[in-house]
């Protein structure tokens, strides 16, 4: 039995409610939860929190293996240790001593399914009593008395000839319940190291860390989803809530207005120059959208398609153009987009899309909201 345990408090002072603050378009804690959900080696995920808001956000995702544990106020205060809430839960759940207990830190969102699975495979070999994660640091360190700690400054090595130091990155720890109870600690006995990529070195503690890690997430994690899906021949976008902010604007005469973003328009031009077919699809039927489509010079405009009509319409285009759905990209934001998003080769949504859309497997969640350049952000993926 492998349990992944994620302690998340609601009382973070540097970044209020940071554990559910949107990180690359998704609540921070959800990145680790979803990576764990995807690992066949993890049986159960426990989110230990004192916050009703955090509980509501996690439960709204309808995860398969994830449960909420209400940690005590005593073990959710600023002075409480992580070990204290671990021991509290172990006692509450009456866990078998043979249970493998993996402590996971939500402040390390770049941890992927591969990392959890590989570390558990290493642990299963039986060579170590517990395991922690580290990254290799190639910095030179000094003591306060002016002596070097990890190199000979008279023979300064080149980076490629320097082994560096292993630095704990705090991503996760693996142990058994037996050892945790014995040592009162996340680690103990013969300790092994699972080495993670250098870009996972930073944890989110301060606002600046947030900015740094969002950029690293885009470069090292989200870009992996893109590399295998570059061969896109057709790009389709939804309108309301995607190309627009979803607002309904009316003039004094009762004329309906929509607000579009010029950056999205440039994105369509970039696709056209690359020879990628473009289209707009919407459940409404308005002259405004028709005019915008003409301005963007898209190849296809599909209006008045509701529910399953969107998927059928795009299938017709694909058949006509000899393009497969796997070669099609689509960005949409609401439940009437779900069927199409679930069938195309490359799906994306704005940061403020509905929860059911964000839960679509492998969907790319933009950092920008609908009408705020999220379509351009998605299009930029094709030019990285």
């Amino acid at each position: 039995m492998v349990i992944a345990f994620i302690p998340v408090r609601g009382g973070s002072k540097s970044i209020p409610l940071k554990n559910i603050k949107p990180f690359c378009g998704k609540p921070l804690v959800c990145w680790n939860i979803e990576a764990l959900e995807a690992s066949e080696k993890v049986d159960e995920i426990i989110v230990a929190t004192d916050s009703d808001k955090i509980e509501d956000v996690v439960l709204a995702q309808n995860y398969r293996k994830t449960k909420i544990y209400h940690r005590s106020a005593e073990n959710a205060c600023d002075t409480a240790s992580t070990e204290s809430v671990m021991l509290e839960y172990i006692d509450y759940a009456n866990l078998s001593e043979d249970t493998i207990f993996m402590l996971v830190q939500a402040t390390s969102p770049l941890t992927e399914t591969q990392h959890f699975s590989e570390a558990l495979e290493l642990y299963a070999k039986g060579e170590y009593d517990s395991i922690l994660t580290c990254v290799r640091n190639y910095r030179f360190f000094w003591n306060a008395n002016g002596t070097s700690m990890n190199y000979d400054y008279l023979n300064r090595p080149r980076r490629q000839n320097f082994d560096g130091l292993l630095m704990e990155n705090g991503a996760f720890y693996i142990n058994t319940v037996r050892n945790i109870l014995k040592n009162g600690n996340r680690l103990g006995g013969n300790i092994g190291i699972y080495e993670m990529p250098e870009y996972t070195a930073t944890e989110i503690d301060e606002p600046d860390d947030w900015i740094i890690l969002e950029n690293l997430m885009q470069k090292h994690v989200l870009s992996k989803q893109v590399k295998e899906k570059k061969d896109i021949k057709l790009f389709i976008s939804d309108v309301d809530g995607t190309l627009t902010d979803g607002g309904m604007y009316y003039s004094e005469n009762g004329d309906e207005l929509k607000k579009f973003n010029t950056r999205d328009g440039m994105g369509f031009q970039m696709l056209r120059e690359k020879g990628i077919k473009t289209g707009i699809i919407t459940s409404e039927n308005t002259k405004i959208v028709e005019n915008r489509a003409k301005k963007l010079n898209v190849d296809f405009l599909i209006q008045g398609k509701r529910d399953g009509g969107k998927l059928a319409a795009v299938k017709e285009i694909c058949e006509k153009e000899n393009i497969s759905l796997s070669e099609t990209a689509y960005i949409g934001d609401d439940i009437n987009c779900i069927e199409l998003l679930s069938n195309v080769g490359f799906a994306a949504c704005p940061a403020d899309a509905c929860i059911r859309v964000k839960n679509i497997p492998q969907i790319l969640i933009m950092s920008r909201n609908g009408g705020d350049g999220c379509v351009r952000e998605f299009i930029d993926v094709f030019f990285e």
Side-chain angles (χ1 to χ4, degrees):
M1 176 75 167
V2 176
I3 288 180
F5 186 77
I6 310 176
V8 284
R9 296 192 305 124
S12 174
K13 292 181 178 178
S14 59
I15 307 175
L17 284 173
K18 70 178 178 183
N19 291 301
I20 53 173
K21 179 182 176 182
F23 177 86
C24 289
K26 186 181 298 183
L28 178 64
V29 68
C30 292
W31 288 101
N32 270 322
I33 292 174
E34 291 177 15
L36 290 162
E37 286 269 345
S39 174
E40 296 179 356
K41 299 184 179 299
V42 176
D43 299 301
E44 194 170 81
I45 304 158
I46 304 298
V47 176
T49 186
D50 61 323
S51 167
D52 291 339
K53 289 184 178 179
I54 293 176
E55 178 181 3
D56 290 343
V57 167
V58 172
L59 293 180
Q61 315 303 315
N62 295 314
Y63 293 125
R64 182 170 57 90
K65 296 189 287 189
T66 302
K67 300 177 181 178
I68 295 291
Y69 170 67
H70 296 276
R71 61 197 287 181
S72 67
E74 179 185 359
N75 285 325
C77 65
D78 292 340
T79 58
S81 68
T82 300
E83 272 73 11
S84 67
V85 71
M86 290 168 55
L87 292 167
E88 175 190 316
Y89 176 74
I90 288 171
D91 179 63
Y92 163 82
N94 193 27
L95 296 179
S96 163
E97 290 191 348
D98 293 326
T99 300
I100 296 174
F101 194 93
M102 182 160 60
L103 170 64
V104 178
Q105 305 280 38
T107 49
S108 297
L110 275 65
T111 310
E112 299 178 72
T113 300
Q114 173 188 351
H115 302 141
F116 291 125
S117 298
E118 288 180 352
L120 285 168
E121 287 174 4
L122 175 63
Y123 191 66
K125 292 179 180 179
E127 299 174 5
Y128 305 106
D129 298 309
S130 58
I131 283 179
L132 79 157
T133 59
C134 292
V135 297
R136 197 166 291 274
N137 188 299
Y138 293 95
R139 297 286 185 177
F140 296 128
F141 294 94
W142 287 74
N143 296 303
N145 64 2
T147 58
S148 57
M149 293 177 62
N150 63 334
Y151 82 113
D152 177 5
Y153 71 90
L154 293 175
N155 295 287
R156 190 183 185 94
R158 297 183 304 165
R159 179 184 171 98
Q160 55 265 44
N161 297 327
F162 179 52
D163 290 336
L165 292 175
L166 287 170
M167 180 184 77
E168 186 174 342
N169 69 347
F172 61 94
Y173 306 80
I174 304 175
N175 208 337
T176 61
V177 167
R178 177 181 293 106
N179 291 334
I180 294 171
L181 292 174
K182 177 182 177 181
N183 300 301
N185 195 280
R186 68 192 74 182
L187 295 170
N190 183 25
I191 301 173
I193 292 172
Y194 174 71
E195 189 172 340
M196 292 180 66
E198 190 175 356
Y199 62 80
T200 65
T202 305
E203 296 179 82
I204 293 180
D205 289 316
E206 301 297 332
D208 284 350
D209 299 331
W210 199 279
I211 298 169
I212 292 167
L213 278 176
E214 280 202 315
N215 287 325
L216 290 172
M217 174 67 85
Q218 293 287 352
K219 179 179 180 181
H220 295 286
V221 180
L222 299 182
S223 63
K224 292 179 183 177
Q225 301 176 18
V226 175
K227 287 178 181 178
E228 298 176 355
K229 299 174 178 177
K230 284 284 190 175
D231 191 21
I232 294 297
K233 298 178 180 178
L234 174 63
F235 181 93
I236 304 285
S237 175
D238 180 38
V239 178
D240 292 322
T242 304
L243 280 171
T244 78
D245 59 6
M248 303 294 289
Y249 303 93
Y250 295 93
S251 70
E252 289 186 356
N253 296 325
D255 298 321
E256 182 181 343
L257 307 172
K258 292 183 185 291
K259 173 177 168 286
F260 294 92
N261 192 297
T262 57
R263 296 190 194 93
D264 293 338
M266 178 58 70
F268 277 90
Q269 180 178 325
M270 293 162 61
L271 291 173
R272 197 162 53 248
E273 291 173 354
K274 284 286 185 177
I276 298 173
K277 298 283 186 179
T278 60
I280 290 175
I281 189 167
T282 175
S283 57
E284 302 296 325
N285 199 328
T286 67
K287 191 69 176 178
I288 297 174
V289 173
E290 182 180 336
N291 290 337
R292 184 58 177 161
K294 288 180 180 177
K295 178 74 173 178
L296 297 178
N297 197 22
V298 298
D299 297 287
F300 307 100
L301 170 62
I302 307 155
Q303 296 203 76
K305 297 297 182 181
R306 297 180 179 275
D307 303 321
K310 287 189 174 184
L311 176 59
V314 172
K315 281 183 174 179
E316 287 182 15
I317 293 174
C318 288
E319 185 175 350
K320 176 184 176 183
E321 298 292 326
N322 195 26
I323 295 172
S324 69
L325 279 174
S326 64
E327 297 171 313
T328 301
Y330 176 58
I331 179 168
D333 72 302
D334 215 334
I335 56 174
N336 60 346
C337 299
I338 290 176
E339 188 175 21
L340 181 53
L341 286 167
S342 301
N343 282 275
V344 294
F346 199 2
C349 68
D352 58 348
C354 75
I355 291 295
R356 286 179 60 189
V357 166
K358 288 183 177 181
N359 284 342
I360 294 172
Q362 297 186 331
I363 194 167
L364 190 62
I365 303 172
M366 299 295 98
S367 65
R368 292 183 176 275
N369 291 338
D372 189 34
C374 68
V375 175
R376 170 62 180 276
E377 183 183 357
F378 184 34
I379 290 170
D380 282 342
V381 164
F382 300 98
F383 299 91
E384 290 180 349

